[in-house]
Amino acid sequence: MALRDILRYPDPRLRKTAQPVLRVDDAVRGLIRDMAETMYGARGIGLAATQIDVAQRVVVIDISPEHKALRTFVNPVIVRSEGTYEVEEGCLSVPGIYEEVERAQKIEVHALDADGRPFELVAEDLLAVCIQHEIDHLDGKVFVDYLSRLKQQRIRKKLEKHQRLAM
């Protein structure tokens, strides 16, 4: 297992669209382990493969307080959504920024697990939001895309300033 570097907004690689995984094999399972370790190391609750510059449709999520309930979604597809749920979102690729985003309150997602077995899951509230957020990453979207242009510009400038100061 290895910690991977997480891409930071506005890195253009975050705009890549991930490709479907054709076969869940040892390489994909190794990616899943690396992603979980990276997510836990960064104290996150979700990570998409595109955030570590891997253009594959793989997501890991763990919203449990003790970080002992890892969920893996390979080739996730939301087949149904309902309701609205507005929550303050953050992102490992947009560190230190938290903004209100409106999402579906309840979703049904179909995916493969880490062994390549298909499953269906109905998720609500925080888990539903997290799944939607991570699937957005697979589609080349970042949560700040839901914000006004002015907020996007302020966030971009703030993060660019932090990167300059860190050098």
Side-chain angles (χ1 to χ4, degrees), residues 69-129:
L70 182 69
R71 296 174 183 259
T72 301
F73 300 82
V74 177
N75 299 334
V77 177
I78 295 171
V79 296
R80 189 174 53 84
S81 63
E82 63 184 62
T84 58
Y85 190 71
E86 194 164 307
V87 66
E88 190 174 72
E89 287 188 33
C91 180
L92 295 175
S93 291
V94 191
I97 305 295
Y98 301 91
E99 292 287 341
E100 294 281 326
V101 176
E102 188 175 289
R103 302 277 190 178
Q105 186 268 332
K106 184 177 182 179
I107 63 168
E108 181 179 339
V109 63
H110 294 186
L112 302 175
D113 66 15
D115 294 316
R117 292 184 302 248
F119 71 94
E120 300 171 4
L121 174 71
V122 174
E124 296 183 59
D125 303 328
L126 179 59
L127 181 57
V129 166

Side-chain angles (χ1 to χ4, degrees), residues 121-140:
L121 174 71
V122 174
E124 296 183 59
D125 303 328
L126 179 59
L127 181 57
V129 166
C130 195
I131 293 168
Q132 292 169 83
H133 176 111
E134 301 307 334
I135 290 175
D136 274 355
H137 278 299
L138 300 179
D139 295 333

Side-chain angles (χ1 to χ4, degrees), residues 3 9 20 44 46-47 120 128 166:
L3 286 175
Y9 178 82
L47 187 70
E120 300 171 4

